[in-house]
Amino acid sequence: MVIPPPVRPPRIIDFLKPYVLKMHFTNKYVSAQVIHTPTATVASSTSSQEKALRSSLGTTRDVAAAAKIGKILGERLLLKDIPAVSVHLKREQKYHGKVKAIVDSLRDAGIKLL
């Protein structure tokens, strides 16, 4: 059974940022995904749990892995013609360490940050 995306009033959609970057960090893995806000679907995602990436990563949880995840996510976004995203940080996340590595590598890949 497929659940349809939530229907939002048109006036709210005018103020939503279309693509939002969300990051999740565990003690073992790093993952990031870009969500298309009006339809509430995942536009693109990358994780250090992917089998294709594990061989190229030394460890799956450090800052270097986060930078590699950001670079790959940036390439996937450019392939889907998504030129800009806005960054959503949780309350406990600061622009430091792994978060900074992902955001900077996205910027280096050519993605504009709103």
Side-chain angles (χ1 to χ4, degrees):
M1 181 173 147
V2 177
I3 299 172
V7 179
R8 297 188 177 155
R11 61 190 174 111
I12 292 177
I13 292 177
D14 293 339
F15 296 104
L16 292 176
K17 307 257 182 181
Y19 293 100
V20 178
L21 169 70
K22 293 192 177 190
M23 297 165 276
H24 183 71
F25 306 103
T26 64
N27 289 335
K28 287 186 176 182
Y29 302 109
V30 176
S31 64
Q33 62 183 3
V34 175
I35 297 174
H36 185 243
T37 322
T39 59
T41 57
V42 177
S44 183
S45 68
T46 308
S47 174
S48 59
Q49 291 178 327
E50 295 177 15
K51 283 191 175 185
L53 297 179
R54 275 195 216 164
S55 61
S56 65
L57 297 173
T59 61
T60 58
R61 62 182 185 182
D62 61 351
V63 176
K68 183 92 170 176
I69 294 296
K71 179 183 174 192
I72 292 170
L73 182 64
E75 292 170 359
R76 289 181 182 177
L77 289 174
L78 289 176
L79 286 176
K80 291 189 173 186
D81 293 329
I82 300 173
V85 297
S86 63
V87 180
H88 177 265
L89 296 178
K90 296 179 185 174
R91 184 177 292 176
E92 68 272 2
Q93 288 179 338
K94 295 184 173 77
Y95 185 74
H96 178 75
K98 296 175 192 174
V99 174
K100 184 175 187 231
I102 289 177
V103 171
D104 286 347
S105 57
L106 268 177
R107 192 178 293 133
D108 292 341
I111 302 296
K112 207 178 203 183
L113 298 174
L114 304 175

